[in-house]
Amino acid sequence: MDFRYLGNSGFKISEITYGNWLTHGSQVENEQAHACVRAALDAGITTFDTADVYANTKAETVLGEALRGERRESLEIFTKVFGPIGPKGHNDLGLSRKHIMEAAHGSLKRLQTDYIDLYQAHRYDYETPLEETMQAFADLVRQGKVLYVGVSEWTADQLREGAALAKELGFQLISNQPQYSMLWRVIEGEVVPASKELGISQVVWSPIAQGVLTGKYVPGQELPEGSRATDDKGGANMIARWMKDDVLERVQQLKPIAEEAGLSMAALAVAWVLQNDNVATAIIGASRPEQVADNAAAAGVTLEPGLLAKIDDVLGDAVVSDPAKTLDSSPKTREA
């Protein structure tokens, strides 16, 4: 496993991060979830990403149990705050001081740890003053309950404003967690340039486009049983944008390119995002341990320029790169 610095800091994380969105506490039984975490550790992965909103706090609990007994100093544990948790009352979401403080203490308990390595604002809160949010993060850092602060799916302007306030309060934003893959490149136009300017790295999610880039969805054939495209709990909705014959046909054409690189389709997709020097780590998810080992094979891989050009030629206009098409799920009001 190779390691990279996260943002303009001395904090090193593994190039591959194991994440448990849509799996632990919901789609995958706890025993299988523990086996996936063990596979991640065996592959040299030391960085783990979760959020309190995943499976309404259950995902954090499962991860905490799975990591119990491991040397804490050898791990980097990330979680997030914003989404509605618990009974989903009027103060159970957002980035108010009240919610951040209560959410942080809940996450610490569920993760069975004294501190969170990276605490992330899961979305931008349009109702809470940013000064209030940043002050709450600053206080958690000074209390030693949070070591570093990041955000997720913030725009370039939001990153600039947040970074400036953080600096005034004596800490720094070091990361942003956006969606990024061969098919979804919207961060390249504005977010990545702003992040380089600010000393912020990307912690990218969905590098295999919710499984589409594995090539398992073949045009004209039935969907694989148990796949995300057949999950009516939310997975099918997430993957719907890619389930078009023209996109799936182009993905099938990536197979010889993966073979040329000596990688599986999934590992090629993960390696592709890691070629961006502003990406510190790629988050992978898994429902089976063997998937972890497959994806982790992308660590340390260098894809030659000619191979990258072939990928671009194959995918063509299937690639989404327009920032206007980003999916910002932050509610503009608390009722949204």
Side-chain angles (χ1 to χ4, degrees):
M1 181 57 59
D2 287 7
F3 298 83
R4 299 185 181 188
Y5 288 105
L6 187 58
N8 184 24
S9 76
F11 183 38
K12 295 179 183 179
I13 61 174
S14 52
E15 281 190 340
I16 309 295
T17 291
Y18 181 81
N20 67 356
W21 173 57
L22 287 181
T23 52
H24 295 186
S26 53
Q27 293 179 347
V28 177
E29 296 297 327
N30 288 1
E31 183 177 346
Q32 188 78 337
H34 286 211
C36 289
V37 170
R38 174 47 53 189
L41 293 166
D42 290 345
I45 294 171
T46 60
T47 310
F48 295 84
D49 179 83
T50 187
D52 59 4
V53 74
Y54 296 166
N56 197 18
T57 73
K58 292 178 183 176
E60 284 187 327
T61 299
V62 173
L63 184 61
E65 287 290 335
L67 292 175
R68 187 169 58 178
E70 296 296 320
R71 182 177 183 268
R72 178 64 182 89
E73 294 83 356
S74 299
L75 304 173
E76 302 86 46
I77 298 176
F78 300 175
T79 192
K80 312 179 196 73
V81 56
F82 179 91
I85 57 173
K88 302 181 181 180
H90 54 282
N91 278 315
D92 288 340
L93 79 161
L95 298 177
S96 68
R97 179 180 183 84
K98 176 176 173 62
H99 184 56
I100 288 175
M101 291 300 184
E102 291 172 348
H105 292 139
S107 291
L108 289 168
K109 184 182 297 184
R110 289 185 291 271
L111 290 165
Q112 301 184 39
T113 182
D114 295 328
Y115 63 94
I116 297 162
D117 290 286
L118 180 72
Y119 202 32
Q120 302 160 96
H122 208 162
R123 289 295 186 271
Y124 187 86
D125 189 337
Y126 290 92
E127 291 198 345
T128 300
L130 189 57
E131 292 84 355
E132 177 180 343
T133 295
M134 289 298 153
Q135 183 64 67
F137 282 133
D139 289 344
L140 286 170
V141 170
R142 291 190 180 92
Q143 292 167 11
K145 295 173 182 175
V146 167
L147 303 188
Y148 298 95
V149 177
V151 301
S152 177
E153 293 288 4
W154 283 27
T155 67
D157 287 343
Q158 290 164 356
L159 289 172
R160 289 192 181 93
E161 188 178 2
L165 275 171
K167 186 175 182 180
E168 288 179 16
L169 292 165
F171 72 102
Q172 60 178 337
L173 291 184
I174 63 169
S175 67
N176 177 49
Q177 187 175 132
Q179 180 179 181
Y180 186 50
S181 71
M182 291 179 188
L183 291 170
W184 189 262
R185 307 185 189 183
V186 295
I187 63 171
E188 292 179 346
E190 298 177 3
V191 170
V192 167
S195 296
K196 288 183 175 180
E197 166 196 326
L198 298 167
I200 291 172
S201 291
Q202 309 305 313
V203 175
V204 302
W205 60 274
S206 197
I208 61 175
Q210 286 94 50
V212 169
L213 289 169
T214 65
K216 65 184 176 183
Y217 300 112
V218 181
Q221 294 188 15
E222 289 189 12
L223 299 175
E225 186 177 348
S227 65
R228 185 156 296 173
T230 63
D231 173 28
D232 58 7
K233 295 179 182 178
N237 291 334
M238 286 295 299
I239 207 171
R241 72 166 73 96
W242 310 125
M243 301 303 292
K244 303 171 184 175
D245 283 353
D246 60 331
V247 174
L248 298 179
E249 286 168 1
R250 290 175 185 270
V251 171
Q252 292 299 312
Q253 295 173 40
L254 294 174
K255 287 184 176 179
I257 298 176
E259 291 172 1
E260 180 183 343
L263 299 169
S264 68
M265 291 274 283
L268 176 70
V270 176
W272 185 89
V273 302
L274 291 172
Q275 304 311 296
N276 187 321
D277 62 6
N278 190 232
V279 172
T281 187
I283 301 173
I284 64 167
S287 56
R288 303 189 307 276
E290 56 268 27
Q291 293 174 325
V292 178
D294 182 17
N295 292 346
V301 170
T302 298
L303 301 179
E304 298 300 326
L307 192 143
L308 293 171
K310 289 180 182 178
I311 292 172
D312 288 346
D313 288 343
V314 164
L315 294 179
D317 59 10
V319 172
V320 178
S321 57
D322 183 358
K325 296 180 180 179
T326 54
L327 296 181
D328 182 3
S329 60
S330 308
K332 300 301 187 289
T333 68
R334 293 296 167 83
E335 290 74 34

